[in-house]
Amino acid sequence: MAKLRTAYFCQNCGAQYSQWMGQCKNCGQWNTLVEEIVEKTSSHKTPPFSTKSKQHVINIIEVETSEEPRIKTPSEELNRVLGGGIVLGSVTLIGGEPGIGKSTLLLQLALKMKKKIFYVSGEESASQIKMRADRLTDIQNPNCFLFTETNLEKILQEAKKLEPDFVIIDSIQTLQSQLIESSPGTVSQIRECSNEIIKYAKENNVPVFLVGHITKDGQIAGPKVLEHMVDVVLNFDGDRNHLFRLLRANKNRFGSTSEIGIYEMISQGLKEIKNPSEILITKKFEELSGNSIAVTLEGNRPMLLEIQALVSTAVYGTPQRSSTGFDAKRLNMLLAVLEKRAGFQLGAKDVFLNITGGIKTDDPALDLAVVASILSSNEDIAISEHYCFAGEIGLSGEIRPIAQAEQRITEAEKLGYEKIFISNLNKLPKKKFGIKIEEVSKIEDFHERLF
């Protein structure tokens, strides 16, 4: 007689326990353990391995390699983030905040691709998807087939009958397998459904896109093993109060994870930003203190960002430190370096920092532009709008070299800037640039040349 085997799973991190307890030892959350049926065990045990296996040991030198064929999408930004296109048989997981544009991005992809698309939705009806499709674009893909279903077995059955070139599932948290007796969205259901979908993708060589929900901490909901199972994990984020959306790859088995795609949310859906530098920089009619231009790098794409700083006397006694789009701890470090190494008295002043456009970045090359904006606002002297900055600042006040300096200089030159401040330790090629390169070594030297 078959017996049911159950276990207790943490709904926050996916840890498994043999008995119930109040607190999960793995993540520390309380009352998150739920009993779920794992499998039906039978008295007939299968052998651990088969002697008829065709696999054999092979030397790595003898392994033949070939370039993975890729499907080019109509979105150049998506192609860049994926590493050149969609690999056949790959499974891509895309996560993001509710309403950020995950479904919009994939629906636009389904409508514009000249392939047979199987679009599965467990969250919307067919009429809702059609209304959104009419709003997004006038181009309608006659080979885009909708299926509003949450039963995994029915979805895979229809997919095998339809034989699509591309599958989109929105979302993995709504699917339910009949083999697992638990509600949709639980750890067991997500793991079982993902495993079956990945198996279908690899056996039929069909690329699959999965939409995933995220937790309040910004992590993809469900067991962490889900991110290990899929080939690509994309994160679609951005400030909902701004128009820009950033697409980043947290994991990519077929390309780099340092690339970034930038979109603008408009009434007709998501629009690609070909040259973000021209949009992210404000066209000022007059020069104002506290504004500077930083040359940053996202993957292989150089961008120019506008840094704004406001330094004022602390009214309430305790000075405030606030930053938007820039790491607050790094801002405090830069202020401490300015006070200790360069002698600027900023300890009793409020400092507010902002990267325009809602962009968030952790490139250390922004340090020099941040310091320039703070000094400009503190002394109320405007920086020339033809100057830009790229350099990292160390704890001793030295200006450190940055990666791919030549590419940053070329981008600044292309956009018409006249002078760029960088570290004197950067090794530049012996060629003439159309932009003046100002090499600085310490903050004191930088301050003298800037003002």
Side-chain angles (χ1 to χ4, degrees):
M1 190 71 181
K3 294 182 180 179
L4 290 177
R5 187 164 72 88
T6 62
Y8 292 87
F9 290 91
C10 174
Q11 301 302 299
N12 183 57
C13 67
Q16 180 179 348
Y17 300 91
S18 59
Q19 62 182 9
W20 187 89
M21 56 183 67
Q23 184 184 29
C24 174
K25 294 181 179 179
N26 187 42
C27 65
Q29 296 294 317
W30 289 88
N31 299 323
T32 57
L33 267 62
V34 175
E35 184 179 15
E36 297 178 8
I37 297 173
V38 179
E39 62 181 352
K40 294 182 179 180
T41 58
S42 176
S43 58
H44 300 287
K45 294 184 178 180
T46 57
F49 60 88
S50 173
T51 57
K52 297 181 180 180
S53 176
K54 296 181 181 180
Q55 299 294 333
H56 59 278
V57 179
I58 185 171
N59 192 303
I60 191 170
I61 301 174
E62 300 174 4
V63 177
E64 296 181 0
T65 59
S66 60
E67 188 70 23
E68 290 285 348
R70 294 179 183 266
I71 301 173
K72 292 287 186 180
T73 70
S75 173
E76 291 298 327
E77 299 294 302
L78 181 59
N79 290 336
R80 177 187 290 108
V81 176
L82 292 175
I86 304 170
V87 176
L88 294 175
S90 64
V91 180
T92 303
L93 175 66
I94 177 170
E97 291 281 349
I100 205 70
K102 304 182 297 296
S103 300
T104 302
L105 176 66
L106 294 179
L107 185 57
Q108 284 186 194
L109 187 66
L111 295 174
K112 293 180 180 180
M113 285 187 70
K114 297 178 180 179
K115 300 281 184 181
K116 184 187 286 187
I117 310 294
F118 185 43
Y119 191 103
V120 181
S121 177
E123 299 178 339
E124 297 176 288
S125 65
S127 59
Q128 288 176 317
I129 298 173
K130 183 63 168 66
M131 287 172 59
R132 190 149 47 89
D134 293 338
R135 177 175 58 86
L136 293 178
T137 178
D138 296 331
I139 304 172
Q140 299 293 335
N141 184 2
N143 290 322
C144 182
F145 298 91
L146 302 179
F147 190 44
T148 54
E149 180 60 61
T150 58
N151 186 286
L152 178 66
E153 285 73 24
K154 291 182 180 178
I155 292 171
L156 294 179
Q157 184 180 359
E158 291 296 326
K160 289 175 182 177
K161 285 196 295 185
L162 185 62
E163 296 183 352
D165 299 319
F166 193 69
V167 177
I168 297 172
I169 297 179
D170 185 11
S171 66
I172 187 63
Q173 274 79 12
T174 62
L175 300 191
Q176 184 176 20
S177 174
Q178 295 177 349
L179 301 176
I180 302 294
E181 297 182 11
S182 59
S183 58
T186 58
V187 171
S188 297
Q189 285 288 1
I190 294 175
R191 184 170 54 239
E192 177 67 23
C193 293
S194 302
N195 193 31
E196 291 298 319
I197 292 170
I198 293 171
K199 183 180 177 182
Y200 161 80
K202 303 302 180 185
E203 289 179 352
N204 297 276
N205 211 25
V206 175
V208 177
F209 259 85
L210 303 176
V211 175
H213 297 169
I214 67 169
T215 62
K216 62 181 180 180
D217 299 326
Q219 303 296 321
I220 294 179
K224 195 69 177 177
V225 71
L226 173 61
E227 297 182 44
H228 292 284
M229 292 165 64
V230 299
D231 300 309
V232 183
V233 178
L234 301 180
N235 187 27
F236 203 43
D237 60 7
D239 191 343
R240 295 183 64 180
N241 297 321
H242 291 82
L243 300 176
F244 300 109
R245 304 287 187 267
L246 303 182
L247 186 66
R248 303 176 188 268
N250 294 340
K251 171 190 175 182
N252 191 355
R253 287 175 177 161
F254 313 112
S256 172
T257 57
S258 59
E259 295 295 343
I260 183 175
I262 302 180
Y263 295 86
E264 182 182 6
M265 179 64 79
I266 57 176
S267 59
Q268 290 80 25
L270 291 165
K271 175 186 174 184
E272 296 182 54
I273 303 298
K274 301 293 184 182
N275 191 352
S277 301
E278 295 181 348
I279 297 177
L280 295 173
I281 297 174
T282 307
K283 302 295 187 295
K284 299 183 291 290
F285 295 100
E286 58 178 340
E287 294 183 352
L288 300 173
S289 64
N291 289 6
S292 68
I293 304 300
V295 188
T296 183
L297 203 68
E298 291 287 350
N300 293 322
R301 165 190 257 184
M303 289 193 306
L304 273 72
L305 302 177
E306 183 176 352
I307 310 292
Q308 295 180 332
L310 178 63
V311 180
S312 61
T313 305
V315 180
Y316 302 105
T318 304
Q320 300 181 63
R321 304 285 188 261
S322 177
S323 66
T324 303
F326 189 77
D327 186 13
K329 292 182 179 179
R330 193 162 187 88
L331 172 62
N332 290 331
M333 184 269 287
L334 294 175
L335 293 174
V337 171
L338 283 173
E339 187 150 352
K340 179 74 174 178
R341 303 295 183 187
F344 295 99
Q345 301 300 319
L346 301 171
K349 295 186 178 181
D350 294 336
V351 179
F352 302 94
L353 190 74
N354 177 45
I355 298 180
T356 59
I359 301 295
K360 297 178 181 178
T361 181
D362 55 359
D363 186 4
L366 264 67
D367 290 355
L368 201 59
V370 169
V371 167
S373 292
I374 292 171
L375 295 177
S376 171
S377 179
N378 184 51
E379 301 185 12
D380 200 19
I381 301 175
I383 299 173
S384 172
E385 59 179 6
H386 301 295
Y387 291 0
C388 58
F389 309 87
E392 180 185 358
I393 294 178
L395 292 179
S396 61
E398 83 279 11
I399 298 174
R400 301 175 59 84
I402 52 173
Q404 302 185 33
E406 182 184 356
Q407 197 169 349
R408 300 174 196 252
I409 294 171
T410 304
E411 178 71 9
E413 179 185 347
K414 185 175 69 174
L415 293 176
Y417 286 86
E418 298 175 0
K419 184 184 290 187
I420 181 170
F421 289 81
I422 64 170
S423 170
N424 64 342
L425 300 177
N426 271 109
K427 296 180 180 179
L428 299 177
K430 295 181 180 180
K431 72 173 186 178
K432 291 185 178 181
F433 292 98
I435 181 174
K436 185 179 179 181
I437 300 173
E438 196 78 28
E439 297 182 348
V440 288
S441 58
K442 285 189 169 292
I443 291 181
E444 300 89 351
D445 180 30
F446 170 64
H447 179 260
E448 290 177 3
R449 297 197 190 184
L450 183 61
F451 301 112

